[in-house]
Structure formats: structure tokens, C-alpha cells
Amino acid sequence: MASPKHEWFSRRAFFKLLGAAAAAFGLPVSLRAQTGQRKECNMKITRAGSQPSSKGPTDWFTGTVRIDPLFQTDAPARAQGATVTFEPGARTAWHTHPLGQTLIVTSGCGRVQREGGPIEEIRPGDVVWFAPNEKHWHGAAPRTAMTHIAIQEALDGKVVDWMEKVTDEQYGH
């Protein structure tokens, strides 16, 4: 068995040889070799608590809901995410997402429903996927708060289409 130092040297030697062979055949060795420039990449850290919380608008939510933004990407990326906390009985209105939505339940007990389907109970660790343009709602259980991370992508700048509110009968009170 070769020593770790010997394995590292062998990989290094292999890549040097590969680069030399590519150059001999006129193939570009790297982007830097092609352009003579190095692409700048900038990591971004958004500190916890650096973005203000907001109340869920009454046009889109029933009950008390708090939205804490997590991230919003710049083009060409189009993902965004938020932590959403629903007090007992609180819920979204019916809505769709043009590119779908993922929910990751982090605490409490909640409910989700897609149009035409049964109400499903969700708990911490559960991951829910709604397909693009699937009409659905989600929120807390009647007597327990629920928090989830919501992740969705924008299509032509739009992440959601809001519809009518979920009635108490639909919610299952």
C-alpha cells in the first residue's frame, strides 16, 4: 500500500502529465489558460437575524403567520427560501408555484393538501414537494404551531400565484 504522500504525488504527476498531453494536442488545459483570466466568484453569507421578519399578509394567509427570509439568489439562479411559522390554525390561501415548491418541516405539526387530495399531517423532518402549478395549501394543525422552510424558484420573476382562501370547512375544523 502506498503512503498518503506517495498517493498525492502520483495524482499530481498524473494531472501534470494530462495537462502536458492536452497541450501537445492543442486542447485547452483550463479556462484560465484559454482566456488568460481568472473568473471571480464571490461567496455570500447572510447572517442570522440580519433580515427583518414580516407578518403574513391577510390576503394570502388566515391566522397569525411570520415570514423570515432566508435567501434570494441573483440571476441566472432563481431560487429563494424563507422560514415560515404558522400559529395554531393558521394557513395559506390556495396557491400554485410556476416551478413547484419544496417544504421542509422544522418544528411543530402541520397540514398540507393538494387540490382533490386528502389533508395530510406533516411533522419535523418531513419534506413535501408540490409539482409546478399544483394547487395546494399548507399551515399549522388546529392546536399546534408549525414551522417550515419553503423553497421555490421564480419563473419570469414570479414565484407564486395566490388564489381564494381556504375555508374553515376545507381546513377541517
Side-chain angles (χ1 to χ4, degrees):
M1 178 181 254
S3 71
K5 186 175 183 181
H6 181 70
E7 287 178 17
W8 176 82
F9 177 77
S10 296
R11 277 183 265 155
R12 184 174 177 204
F14 170 76
F15 286 114
K16 270 182 125 175
L17 181 62
L18 185 63
F25 287 101
L27 300 172
V29 177
S30 69
L31 179 63
R32 188 174 183 178
Q34 279 182 306
T35 64
Q37 297 176 9
R38 184 173 167 206
K39 183 180 175 194
E40 283 297 319
C41 295
N42 295 312
M43 178 175 71
K44 179 180 177 184
I45 299 174
T46 304
R47 301 289 177 199
S50 67
Q51 301 179 88
S53 298
S54 63
K55 290 180 83 170
T58 57
D59 288 350
W60 305 337
F61 297 93
T62 297
T64 303
V65 177
R66 186 182 75 240
I67 303 168
D68 291 294
L70 290 173
F71 66 91
Q72 187 164 354
T73 55
D74 296 323
R78 53 190 180 186
Q80 62 179 250
T83 299
V84 185
T85 301
F86 298 83
E87 290 301 316
R91 57 199 178 265
T92 68
W94 287 98
H95 61 286
T96 63
H97 299 274
L99 296 175
Q101 182 183 49
T102 300
L103 305 178
I104 304 166
V105 182
T106 59
S107 68
C109 181
R111 292 180 171 182
V112 295
Q113 184 181 27
R114 64 180 182 85
E115 187 176 44
I119 295 172
E120 303 277 349
E121 185 177 278
I122 54 175
R123 296 194 169 272
D126 290 349
V127 178
V128 180
W129 164 249
F130 294 106
N133 298 310
E134 182 172 43
K135 187 175 178 181
H136 68 279
W137 65 268
H138 38 98
R143 291 182 290 220
T144 307
M146 186 270 297
T147 300
H148 65 53
I149 295 171
I151 303 169
Q152 52 275 325
E153 293 181 275
L155 179 63
D156 299 324
K158 191 171 195 174
V159 297
V160 63
D161 285 307
W162 291 105
M163 299 167 186
E164 71 277 7
K165 286 194 171 190
V166 173
T167 66
D168 286 346
E169 292 74 36
Q170 290 171 321
Y171 176 73
H173 259 303

